[in-house]
């Protein structure tokens, strides 16, 4: 398989879709044949539609998001959970159509996706670069360290952390990165500023990717 980058998170709503979109826009803007998918969506397909819009007709919505559940629950709670081998097969097929494939996870790292597997097991099977997205606010140190510990249990090799600026920064926000660096010295940690979107759309993501070009290049 070609290069795969898996974007997971410490929780739901931490900014995985925005970061995946930024990375996708940056790669494509640099001439890389990059695609992105979000295998699982629950409760709505807004995240998948954003990624779809950034790929300008290269994929269908069902290729970006093959497994969709209308209720906002973890995918493993669906009546017919998807088999692990089927997800891996979908990812493998799409990765063979591009130079770099970005995969956005659903919820946090250990959210159950099917019978006896989570994003951690997918990452281990794919042996891919992994980016953990964390919310830069109170509680993120504990959540991030636990997520890193879970990743280390499957001997992940390429791991980075991105702190996404919270909507309303709190007193912990200026110190979180420093404290995480002290505990995770060998892991690269990046902080993204608060991005001002009138509304999150492909055009806004592309504009922000241009603004963040240097940090996104380092992250990749």
């Amino acid at each position: 398989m070609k290069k795969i980058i898996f974007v997971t998170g410490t929780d739901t709503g931490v900014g995985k879709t925005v970061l995946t979109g930024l990375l996708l826009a940056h790669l494509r803007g640099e001439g890389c044949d990059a695609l992105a998918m979000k295998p699982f969506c629950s409760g709505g397909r807004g995240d998948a539609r954003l990624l779809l819009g950034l790929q300008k007709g290269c994929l269908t919505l069902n290729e970006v998001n093959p497994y969709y559940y209308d209720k906002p629950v973890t995918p493993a709670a669906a009546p017919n959970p998807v088999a692990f081998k089927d997800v891996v097969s979908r990812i493998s097929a799409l990765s063979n159509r591009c130079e770099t494939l970005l995969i956005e996870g659903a919820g946090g790292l250990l959210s159950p996706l099917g019978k006896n597997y989570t994003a951690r097991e997918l990452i281990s099977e794919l042996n891919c670069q992994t980016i953990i997205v964390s919310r830069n606010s109170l509680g993120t140190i504990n959540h991030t360290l636990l997520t890193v510990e879970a990743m280390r249990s499957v001997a992940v090799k390429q791991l980075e952390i991105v702190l996404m600026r919270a909507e309303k920064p709190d007193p912990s926000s200026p110190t979180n990165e420093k404290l995480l660096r002290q505990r995770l010295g060998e892991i690269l940690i990046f902080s993204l500023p608060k991005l001002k979107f009138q509304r999150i759309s492909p055009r806004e993501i592309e504009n922000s990717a241009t603004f963040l070009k240097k940090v996104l290049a380092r992250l990749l």
Side-chain angles (χ1 to χ4, degrees):
M1 288 185 290
K2 304 291 183 64
K3 182 176 181 181
I4 297 176
I5 302 171
F6 201 111
V7 180
T8 188
T10 56
D11 198 358
T12 189
V14 294
K16 297 188 301 296
T17 302
V18 168
L19 181 63
T20 304
L22 289 170
L23 293 171
L24 178 62
H26 173 75
L27 285 167
R28 292 177 68 86
E30 292 296 299
C32 176
D33 179 19
L35 296 175
M37 69 183 301
K38 181 167 183 172
F40 297 92
C41 283
S42 298
R45 297 177 102 177
D47 295 348
R49 292 183 189 281
L50 178 67
L51 298 179
L52 178 71
L54 286 164
Q55 297 178 81
K56 306 184 188 310
C58 293
L59 299 176
T60 66
L61 180 59
N62 286 336
E63 287 175 320
V64 175
N65 170 226
Y67 310 114
Y68 168 62
Y69 310 99
D70 57 356
K71 294 183 180 180
V73 296
T74 189
N80 298 300
V82 180
F84 180 77
K85 65 179 182 179
D86 292 341
V87 185
V88 174
S89 178
R90 289 268 191 173
I91 293 170
S92 300
L94 202 54
S95 73
N96 287 326
R97 293 171 54 184
C98 61
E99 294 178 44
T100 300
L101 177 64
L102 294 159
I103 304 172
E104 181 192 345
L109 175 70
L110 298 183
S111 296
L113 300 177
K115 186 177 181 180
N116 300 324
Y117 73 93
T118 67
R120 177 176 61 178
E121 283 66 47
L122 284 176
I123 291 166
S124 178
E125 178 70 18
L126 297 169
N127 192 29
C128 56
Q129 178 182 351
T130 307
I131 300 172
I132 296 173
V133 182
S134 302
R135 185 185 295 110
N136 192 2
S137 59
L138 186 64
T140 201
I141 293 176
N142 176 65
H143 296 161
T144 304
L145 292 177
L146 286 172
T147 303
V148 170
E149 185 174 317
M151 290 298 305
R152 283 174 167 168
S153 71
V154 293
V156 65
K157 296 178 181 179
Q158 302 177 68
L159 182 62
E160 296 162 301
I161 295 167
V162 173
L163 288 170
M164 302 292 281
R165 186 174 175 86
E167 186 70 30
K168 295 181 179 180
D170 59 42
S172 77
S173 299
T175 60
N176 286 329
E177 181 178 354
K178 178 181 178 180
L179 291 172
L180 284 170
R181 286 184 185 278
Q182 290 174 354
R183 289 158 177 79
L184 302 169
E186 75 281 14
I187 296 176
L188 293 177
I189 302 174
F190 301 84
S191 290
L192 291 192
K194 175 61 182 173
L195 299 172
K196 297 181 180 179
F197 298 118
Q198 293 183 351
R199 69 181 185 88
I200 299 179
S201 66
R203 181 179 293 276
E204 295 276 358
I205 291 290
E206 288 168 344
N207 290 340
S208 295
T210 300
F211 171 69
L212 296 170
K213 182 176 181 177
K214 289 184 178 180
V215 66
L216 293 173
R218 289 178 56 215
L219 181 56
L220 292 165

